Amino acid sequence: MRRLMSLLLPMWTWAFVPNSPSGIPNFSSSRLHAIKDATFGMGCFWEPAEELLKVEGVVDTVAGYTGKTSATEAPNYDSVCFSRDWVEGVRVRYDDEKISYEELLDSFFASQKPKLGSRQYASIIFPHDEDQRQVATNYLQENANKQQADGWVTEWTAIEPLSKFFKAEGYHQNYWKKQRPRFAAIIALLAVATGVLDPIVPETFQKTVESIANASVLAIGIYQLLERVVDAKVEEL
């Protein structure tokens, strides 16, 4: 039984223990002057926010809601999904001594997952200042007919004035980083529930082990639902 618990414990840990905050950048350093912000509409924000973090010079990304110029209060995910005004956006914090805004635009086009004709999943550049606006304008003009690997043509991307940006609910942040280990734990637990460990578990404990695995899968599902309720704060940045 002790051996069994040593196998199940990592699965529970992957599913329930939050990611360590140690990777959050410290912006109190003497090089604060080099850190700038950029905002993009990139389609469903889960994957692009993660992909941009892999780019050299990008120090942080935040999934959020933007694009509604008349916004007076924070939206929520449901209101964004049923709206024709809001855009799922990604706020990017980058070190302009390591990556220029033009280079960041290259990464933006490589990482985005937009849907043509959708406001929520639109491809939009929201410049933070006149310099960014000019760089973005020139970039779109010079690469107007360039087609990305996914078939997206540069000229389909729009430039819009910067509007309020609201950080999305916590369960949207680092979404796939949290979900992958949970899915892996569910698959492993379901395998245990079907008897994959029977050859090494004494017969008197097999039903107990399978029941524990099934209960654990249910617990992960309940945790996912509760997370959407408890971690539902949306705040303006």
Side-chain angles (χ1 to χ4, degrees):
M1 198 67 181
R2 185 175 299 174
R3 182 180 180 185
L4 170 66
M5 295 306 295
S6 68
L7 291 172
L8 292 178
L9 184 58
M11 301 176 193
W12 295 328
T13 302
W14 296 337
F16 295 110
V17 176
N19 292 315
S20 169
S22 60
I24 299 176
N26 181 359
F27 298 120
S28 61
S29 69
S30 60
R31 299 183 66 255
L32 183 63
H33 69 280
I35 304 301
K36 293 186 176 180
D37 289 335
T39 302
F40 305 111
M42 306 181 69
C44 179
F45 45 35
W46 293 337
E47 185 176 349
E50 180 180 54
E51 288 301 309
L52 284 176
L53 276 176
K54 301 175 183 177
V55 176
E56 177 70 22
V58 172
V59 295
D60 191 26
T61 61
V62 177
Y65 311 122
T66 189
K68 185 175 181 179
T69 56
S70 61
T72 57
E73 59 183 21
N76 57 41
Y77 187 62
D78 289 337
S79 65
V80 171
C81 289
F82 291 101
S83 168
R84 301 182 66 86
D85 300 311
W86 289 103
V87 177
E88 287 196 16
V90 178
R91 173 65 55 84
V92 183
R93 183 153 286 186
Y94 67 101
D95 186 339
D96 72 347
E97 291 187 355
K98 294 183 178 180
I99 183 172
S100 68
Y101 187 68
E102 183 173 1
E103 292 170 330
L104 186 60
L105 290 176
D106 286 331
S107 298
F108 156 69
F109 278 100
S111 303
Q112 67 172 346
K113 303 291 181 182
K115 291 184 179 180
L116 195 62
S118 169
R119 176 66 178 172
Q120 180 182 352
Y121 299 133
S123 174
I124 303 175
I125 301 170
F126 298 96
H128 281 240
D129 55 34
E130 179 59 26
D131 288 340
Q132 287 189 359
R133 189 196 67 78
Q134 190 59 56
V135 170
T137 300
N138 293 340
Y139 187 99
L140 294 187
Q141 291 175 348
E142 294 170 4
N143 298 278
N145 298 318
K146 183 178 179 180
Q147 191 173 44
Q148 302 297 320
D150 62 356
W152 187 266
V153 180
T154 302
E155 66 179 356
W156 296 346
T157 295
I159 298 176
E160 292 188 8
L162 184 68
S163 53
K164 291 181 178 180
F165 185 95
F166 296 88
K167 181 180 179 181
E169 296 88 342
Y171 61 86
H172 287 302
Q173 309 303 327
N174 302 309
Y175 184 82
W176 286 116
K177 185 177 180 180
K178 292 182 287 190
Q179 294 300 332
R180 288 190 190 96
R182 291 174 184 175
F183 291 152
I186 289 173
I187 292 172
L189 288 166
L190 288 174
V192 172
T194 59
V196 72
L197 294 182
D198 286 356
I200 63 173
V201 176
E203 186 174 353
T204 54
F205 291 114
Q206 287 176 2
K207 292 299 182 182
T208 300
V209 169
E210 292 166 10
S211 296
I212 291 174
N214 277 318
S216 298
V217 172
L218 179 61
I220 294 173
I222 293 173
Y223 179 85
Q224 293 266 88
L225 294 175
L226 289 176
E227 186 180 37
R228 289 176 172 264
V229 176
V230 175
D231 202 6
K233 183 179 180 180
V234 176
E235 58 184 342
E236 183 178 354
L237 297 186

